[in-house]
Amino acid sequence: MTLAERIKNARNNMHYTQKDLAELMNVKSTTVSGWELGRNEPSIDTLKKLATKLEVSFDYLAGVEDKNKIRSSDAALTWADLGMPYGGKIPDELKQTYADLAESYFKRHPEMLNKNNK
């Protein structure tokens, strides 16, 4: 994955538009577009600020690690961690329903994604 793709992926995970990110970074939206199209690259200092604003690690954006720490399976709670029924394994027929519920919740409460990582 390229730097441009990692920036776009992290922005989308936060449900920000390019304009939203530009405002957070105090740059023009064309600058964000340029980053995401690979036309230009942010400086190291800007990349650090981007990582903070997008709630990802600097290493993820810089391509040092393959996975976004926030979305990595290592940081995710399992069904068993939550003390849920079905012997700690979610039945296949319920997986999509619970995934949809979780996605809906985190779209409304993105601040909760990193609550335990801060």
Side-chain angles (χ1 to χ4, degrees):
M1 187 181 294
T2 66
L3 172 61
E5 292 167 330
R6 288 188 299 274
I7 292 170
K8 184 175 183 177
N9 183 49
R11 177 181 61 78
N12 286 332
N13 284 341
M14 293 298 293
H15 306 287
Y16 292 152
T17 64
Q18 287 183 345
K19 183 179 177 183
D20 294 334
L21 182 57
E23 289 173 3
L24 283 171
M25 295 296 296
N26 199 28
V27 298
K28 294 178 181 179
S29 57
T30 55
T31 300
V32 174
S33 175
W35 295 336
E36 292 186 2
L37 293 172
R39 290 186 182 143
N40 53 52
E41 293 184 354
S43 68
I44 296 296
D45 288 337
T46 302
L47 202 57
K48 289 177 184 177
K49 187 176 176 183
L50 266 173
T52 300
K53 298 292 183 185
L54 295 173
E55 298 182 9
V56 296
S57 69
F58 173 82
D59 287 349
Y60 168 73
L61 283 184
V64 175
E65 55 186 41
D66 292 335
K67 293 185 180 180
N68 175 343
K69 291 256 184 195
I70 293 170
R71 299 286 182 186
S72 80
S73 59
D74 296 339
L77 290 174
T78 66
W79 193 249
D81 292 335
L82 299 173
M84 299 307 234
Y86 311 110
K89 295 189 189 289
I90 188 168
D92 289 338
E93 63 269 17
L94 295 177
K95 285 182 180 178
Q96 189 58 52
T97 300
Y98 284 103
D100 292 343
L101 287 169
E103 181 180 12
S104 174
Y105 176 82
F106 287 116
K107 280 183 180 178
R108 286 178 284 139
H109 302 284
E111 71 278 5
M112 298 305 287
L113 283 172
N114 286 329
K115 189 172 183 178
N116 295 327
N117 294 337
K118 290 184 180 178

